[in-house]
Amino acid sequence: MCIRDSMNSKIDLFRMNSLRVISFILEPQYISQFERYIKNAINEKVNAIASAAIICGFHLYPKNVELVKKWSNEITEKLNSKNTQTHYHALVLLHEIKKQDLVSFIKVLVNITRDSGFTNPLAIIQVVRFIKEVIQGGELDSSTEGDFVEYLTKLVHKNNDMIVLEAAKTLCDMKNLTNKELTQTVSVLSIYLLSSSSVSKFAALKILNKLISNPIRVNLLGNTQDIENLLNDNNKSLSSLAISILLKVCKEDNIEKLLAQIFDYMSEISDEFKIDIIKSVQNFVRKLPKKFRVLLNFLSNCLKGEGSYEVKRSCVDAVDFMINEIPESKEAALLQLAEYIEDCSHAALHIKILNMIRKVANQLNNPSKFIRFINNRILLEDSEIRAAALGALGGLSLENRDLAKDIVPILQSHVDDPEDEVRQRSVYYLNELQSTPAVTSAKPVHLGFKDIDRIERFLINNLAQIKKSADPTSIGLEKIEEFYKSNPQARGAADKKEEVQAQEAAEEVHLDQDAKDYIELNQMKKLIKENEYLSSLGELRLMTSPKDLTDTKSDFYVTCTKYMFDSFILLELKVRNKLVNQILKDVCAEIVLSTNDLKIAHIFKAELIRPDQTGSIFISIAKNPELRIILTKANCYLKYVVCETNSRGEITNSYDDEYMIDDIEINAADYLRPLVLPNKTFKREYEKYVSAVELSQSFMLGFKTLESAIKALIQHFGMYVCDESEVIDTKNKFHTLLLAGKYLGVQPVFAMLMMGIDANRGCLCKLQVKSEDETVASDIIGSFSIL
């Protein structure tokens, strides 16, 4: 009662303290008794009380999720509060409530970024972090993501360091931004490198270091003078990060000088930065293969220096990477590792290096030099390392019998070793050496029918030259493959059969899908005939696959299926009720179309949707009779009555509610279906329709590469890609994409898209469409306005 009295007190301090305490002392079953008091406190005009109530809701949320969710509207209103503390707390609680329903929370973020009413730096930083969270979730459309990027770019130019750095960090973490779009952000971060604050410099360096870890972003750092000046900074954290960045952007001429400079600092920096530096050096192995001796010398010095196990393991991994990437470095690198294990104190690294020696040593001219290093491990180390060393010697001798005379005595001396594992390995390898013949280095070549066919064609065409040649490699597989690639006319029956099978397989995929669509379409036609109104819409031509309008984890899982008629479009919204103890009644959809060429004709609502059940809402849309393909993006939300039930299923309370869902898009692909054509027959089919109308128009599209343009255009039209025209020939400046389809699954439509990339203007595209219906051809060209 004391808490209840304090919550009703006229003294603000008492009310605030009671709200702060109640979330910690109240048992879950009693929370509903105090709901009214907390809800009233959220609406309180005194900001301190409202803020305390919101914090109370945050702590109560894990105990009673459904109860706190009911306060969503009140908490949303508090986002508009002029009090910085109140709208910060409201934002955090609203995220907690809506984090399972990202679509709804994204709309909240969009409103915040457009209004820009937040003045609290902490609140703005929290908005930036929430934007990063939804971007990484991958559930944003391109326009919303563009709005967020614009908002973050504005924040980069604010006066508050915390806001600038947080916004810059989020922008730099976005993988789909171009280098040009990040130029301003990098320039701002470069200014922070001259700051008097070590914290600001460290934050800017850390963001830049992570950014240029992506090789594509390295060119963003043109001038590194400011970073080089930080090498001599007294703060070792700053100098360590500066080293890491300089390694990532270093040119070949400066690598030796830089590595020598870095090694002087290695003993003073933390293990975390040592590992980062070693990984940067490892990246140079592939970039600068001619400098492998310089890189190997640096890694060898790091191995001999001080450092934890993780540092040493990173060095060994880097050397292993070098051995695999640069064959010339094998002997020198392996010798460095062999010398290191003389003083190594980590058993795991001992075993790793011994295994590397076993795999690589026989590839060198003089593998016997490594026997001494391995034998020392047998004499000086414990049983685990001794067993690994015997395994390495045994493996070397099995692969190279010339080494057996030196290795067998060592194996024999450990037959009576006190450790079982060591003794068993010695006996095993001795038996193997006595019982198995020498292993040859030649590997058998397994030939298939296609290979045999190629060999036959090669011999027929080159028999005279082979007889004259004394070179045994003149009939090697490499020569045969080279001949085959340079003489496509010499292809044999196996290759032609393989091409035919590939074409048939591609067509079968479409045929299987067509058969599946045909069955589903006929089932839907039967259902439509049973309804008097739906049967009046005409013949059902096409239906699309269901598209999610909400997240699968949200309270309501909603999908949309589109049914295409000649003069109508029918939308089916399937709503799955995932709420517990709540029944939905009179569920309908409010939809706002973005074009006047489509009109809502009728809406059939779902009468009742029980928990864990699905109901359907049907919306019929009338088309402008003068048009064929009409595109739109419709805003949509659900309206319904929520009926709360008790454990016996009795309704205890009911109220009206709404639920925002994703926009419904009607695209060109919804009207078109693929028309499968055999390979190399597009031109013939295109010219067959002599009386068809042919329209063309040129466009400037916002794509930066041909690959992205082709992918987007195929998705936009949903038509069949003919003659393998999605494959780009890099020798040609321009590319032609060939598409074939059927409007509403009935009328053939052909499209040719000639495109090229201009460095200054972007993607240039000429679209040529052929159809027997001029309106269809015109509407397809008009659909390009959304690209």
Side-chain angles (χ1 to χ4, degrees), residues 193 201 205 225-233 238-239 242:
L193 300 180
K201 284 193 282 191
L205 282 171
Q225 186 59 48
D226 295 334
I227 300 174
E228 289 175 12
N229 294 336
L230 293 174
L231 286 176
N232 300 318
D233 197 285
L238 292 179
S239 58

Side-chain angles (χ1 to χ4, degrees), residues 560-774:
C560 177
T561 305
K562 288 163 266 188
Y563 302 97
M564 314 303 290
F565 299 79
D566 289 329
S567 303
F568 288 88
I569 299 170
L570 180 66
L571 305 179
E572 181 186 10
L573 302 183
K574 284 188 176 181
V575 182
R576 185 171 185 80
N577 178 13
K578 299 172 72 175
L579 294 174
V580 181
N581 298 328
Q582 290 188 5
I583 299 172
L584 307 183
K585 284 188 176 181
D586 299 330
V587 187
C588 66
E590 292 290 330
I591 183 168
V592 181
L593 300 169
S594 61
T595 176
N596 295 325
D597 292 318
L598 295 173
K599 301 290 183 184
I600 302 293
H602 200 281
I603 298 178
F604 294 89
K605 62 185 179 182
E607 300 290 344
L608 187 73
I609 307 178
R610 297 187 179 278
D612 206 29
Q613 291 188 2
T614 303
S616 291
I617 305 167
F618 287 94
I619 306 167
S620 63
I621 302 173
K623 293 166 56 179
N624 182 339
E626 296 180 0
L627 300 174
R628 300 290 182 270
I629 296 176
I630 306 171
L631 312 184
T632 188
K633 187 175 185 179
N635 296 322
C636 191
Y637 63 93
L638 302 179
K639 295 181 68 176
Y640 49 87
V641 178
V642 178
C643 299
E644 296 181 344
T645 61
N646 56 24
S647 58
R648 296 187 299 275
E650 299 169 346
I651 295 175
T652 58
N653 185 27
S654 64
Y655 54 91
D656 293 337
D657 204 352
E658 296 177 354
Y659 189 83
M660 292 297 298
I661 58 178
D662 281 355
D663 295 341
I664 298 173
E665 296 185 10
I666 300 177
N667 302 314
D670 296 329
Y671 296 88
L672 301 166
R673 278 294 173 268
L675 173 60
V676 180
L677 299 178
N679 200 18
K680 307 300 181 185
T681 60
F682 178 85
K683 184 178 180 181
R684 185 183 67 200
E685 293 293 324
Y686 187 89
E687 294 173 350
K688 187 168 72 175
Y689 293 87
V690 181
S691 61
V693 179
E694 194 171 342
L695 300 177
S696 65
Q697 190 170 330
S698 297
F699 298 90
M700 186 82 67
L701 304 178
F703 301 107
K704 297 182 174 67
T705 62
L706 282 177
E707 289 84 354
S708 59
I710 290 171
K711 184 178 179 181
L713 291 169
I714 292 172
Q715 185 178 359
H716 173 71
F717 288 114
M719 298 164 72
Y720 182 71
V721 183
C722 302
D723 298 353
E724 300 178 348
S725 57
E726 75 277 18
V727 180
I728 300 172
D729 187 353
T730 54
K731 296 178 183 178
N732 296 332
K733 188 176 180 181
F734 293 94
H735 181 76
T736 301
L737 180 65
L738 308 175
L739 302 174
K742 288 184 178 181
Y743 169 69
L744 293 182
V746 177
Q747 193 175 92
V749 181
F750 301 93
M752 288 195 295
L753 298 101
M754 289 144 280
M755 64 190 81
I757 298 294
D758 185 276
N760 298 319
R761 293 186 291 173
C763 181
L764 307 175
C765 179
K766 181 182 179 182
L767 171 62
Q768 188 169 308
V769 181
K770 191 171 188 179
S771 172
E772 292 179 334
D773 188 332
E774 184 177 355

Side-chain angles (χ1 to χ4, degrees), residues 386-434:
R386 294 209 314 275
L390 285 170
L393 287 175
L396 287 174
S397 60
L398 286 175
E399 293 176 7
N400 188 344
R401 291 304 174 89
D402 294 336
L403 301 176
K405 63 180 184 297
D406 298 321
I407 293 175
V408 168
I410 299 174
L411 294 175
Q412 289 173 339
S413 65
H414 290 84
V415 170
D416 298 323
D417 195 277
E419 293 294 335
D420 291 344
E421 181 67 23
V422 178
R423 189 168 60 251
Q424 289 169 6
R425 290 202 181 196
S426 300
V427 173
Y428 169 77
Y429 284 110
L430 285 170
N431 291 336
E432 284 293 309
L433 287 169
Q434 293 171 3

Side-chain angles (χ1 to χ4, degrees), residues 415-477:
V415 170
D416 298 323
D417 195 277
E419 293 294 335
D420 291 344
E421 181 67 23
V422 178
R423 189 168 60 251
Q424 289 169 6
R425 290 202 181 196
S426 300
V427 173
Y428 169 77
Y429 284 110
L430 285 170
N431 291 336
E432 284 293 309
L433 287 169
Q434 293 171 3
S435 62
T436 58
V439 179
T440 59
S441 59
K443 295 183 179 180
V445 179
H446 300 282
L447 300 176
F449 286 111
K450 187 175 74 171
D451 300 305
I452 295 170
D453 187 65
R454 290 183 181 183
I455 293 169
E456 181 185 5
R457 308 294 295 185
F458 173 78
L459 292 173
I460 291 171
N461 286 272
N462 298 275
L463 189 59
Q465 292 88 336
I466 293 170
K467 286 181 177 179
K468 294 178 183 178
S469 175
D471 183 7
T473 63
S474 61
I475 56 171
L477 287 177

